[in-house]
Each structure stands twice: as C-alpha cells, then as structure tokens.
Amino acid sequence: MAEAERIIGTPDSAGADGTAASDESAAREEAAARGGASDHDGAAAPGERPRGRRRIVALFVVAVLAYLLDLGSKMLVVAELEGHEPIDLIGDLLRLDAIRNPGAAFGMGEAFTIIFTVIAAVVIAVIIRLARKLYSLPWAIALGLLLGGALGNLTDRIFRSPGVFEGAVVDFIAPAHFAVFNLADSAIVCGGILIVILSFRGLDPDGTVHKD
C-alpha cells in the first residue's frame, strides 16, 4: 500500500515541485525586470543634474577668472602706473593710462555712481538666480563673463575712494580716439555680445533651441 502510494504520489510531488520552481523562477525574473527598470528610471534624472552642475561650475570658473584678472590688473596699475606718465604699447594707437572713473563703463554717467552700483548688484543677483536653470555651456561662459566683470567693478564701487558705494573704478586701457576702460568692462562687453549671438541663434539658457 505504501509502495503504491509512493509510486502514485511521485508524479504529483514532482509536478508540484516543478510548478513551485517555475513560479519561483518567474518571480525572480519579474523582480529582476522591475529592479532593472527602477535602476534605469533612477539613473535618468540624476543624469541631468550632473550636466546642469557642470554648466554652473563653468559659469563660476569663468566668473572667478575674469574677476581675478580684473582685480590683479587694477592692483598692479594702482601700484605701478597711477601718478606716472602713460605707457605707450602700440605707438599712439594703444597705451596704458591710469584714471579713476566714477561713472559707468567707458566713463559714461559720472553723476550716477550709486545708481550704477545698485544696477551692478541687481545684475549679479539675477545671474546667480538664473544659474539654477542653466544647461548651456555657451550661456554659462557668457553669464560668467558678465558676472566676473560686474563683480570687478562693484568691488571698486564698494572699497575705493571717495566712499562705500561711491568709489571710482580704476580704468587704464586707453585706445586712441576711444574711452579708457578696464578688463571688467571688456568682460561685460564680450559677455553681452555673446548673449546677443546666442539669442539670434535661438539658443536658450536651458539648452533648448527654437527657431522663429
């Protein structure tokens, strides 16, 4: 009797074991598939964040370089050139001539020093706020130039005489038949030109391209 039950029961138990193994295998495959999809979905979003962070890093690297070049050149000019005769670099076409400019870039608006100081501070705040949505390297370079230049001249406005927020900017690059300017002014102008070019090409700060 026991032998008969063993013989008869063997196929059932084998079938049961096979079914269980099959169910377990299917469950494993489903879990693996879900896990793979989860990993894929999870990697997609972080993939965008590092790209955005790299653009922000590029913006601030350009800004720091522009700012340090401007600051260093002004310190050198104040120490070595101010109070001395201008230095001719290319005959009468280009020379170094240290002056103090209370106005905006290229000597404009000398009566509105405080207003230009406020404008520079607002520009800096807007650029820093815009950096959070930045996904375009050309825009990062352009905004970095603007930020570095604005910080360079704002530093003069705050720390140079005659007083806080009324300080005169140090200018020293003097082309013939043109206003005297500095490296901060150059960075601002180059950044502005690049922004105009990017806008005409339809490239937005977030990296999207549109055509009118």
Side-chain angles (χ1 to χ4, degrees):
M1 186 68 174
E3 184 66 18
E5 289 176 351
R6 183 182 66 78
I7 295 173
I8 295 172
T10 299
D12 293 339
S13 66
D17 293 343
T19 301
S22 177
D23 292 343
E24 183 178 355
S25 176
R28 288 176 180 174
E29 291 178 359
E30 183 179 357
R34 289 178 179 176
S38 175
D39 292 341
H40 179 73
D41 294 341
E48 294 298 320
R49 288 194 292 269
R51 188 167 71 93
R53 284 198 294 267
R54 286 195 294 270
R55 302 300 184 263
I56 295 174
V57 169
L59 185 156
F60 285 107
V61 167
V62 172
V64 169
L65 288 176
Y67 176 73
L68 292 179
L69 286 173
D70 178 69
L71 182 63
S73 65
K74 289 173 178 176
M75 293 175 64
L76 184 62
V77 165
V78 170
E80 303 294 336
L81 185 59
E82 198 168 46
H84 297 77
E85 291 296 321
I87 299 175
D88 293 330
L89 295 180
I90 309 176
D92 294 332
L93 297 179
L94 180 64
R95 64 180 183 176
L96 299 180
D97 186 10
I99 66 169
R100 296 295 181 106
N101 172 25
F106 310 116
M108 296 182 293
E110 296 184 3
F112 303 98
T113 303
I114 295 180
I115 294 177
F116 291 130
T117 303
V118 173
I119 292 175
V122 171
V123 169
I124 292 170
V126 170
I127 292 174
I128 294 175
R129 183 177 180 83
L130 183 60
R132 297 182 303 172
K133 300 180 180 179
L134 190 62
Y135 284 87
S136 168
L137 181 58
W139 269 95
I141 295 173
L143 293 177
L145 290 170
L146 286 179
L147 180 59
L151 284 171
N153 283 339
L154 183 62
T155 299
D156 284 358
R157 304 287 187 197
I158 295 175
F159 295 105
R160 296 194 186 277
S161 60
V164 177
F165 301 122
E166 297 180 353
V169 174
V170 176
D171 289 336
F172 57 92
I173 303 173
H177 312 297
F178 196 74
V180 184
F181 59 96
N182 55 42
L183 294 184
D185 297 332
S186 300
I188 292 172
V189 171
C190 290
I193 292 173
L194 182 54
I195 287 176
V196 171
I197 294 173
L198 295 174
S199 298
F200 272 113
R201 296 186 62 181
L203 179 62
D204 292 336
D206 63 0
T208 59
V209 178
H210 60 84
K211 296 181 179 180
D212 296 332

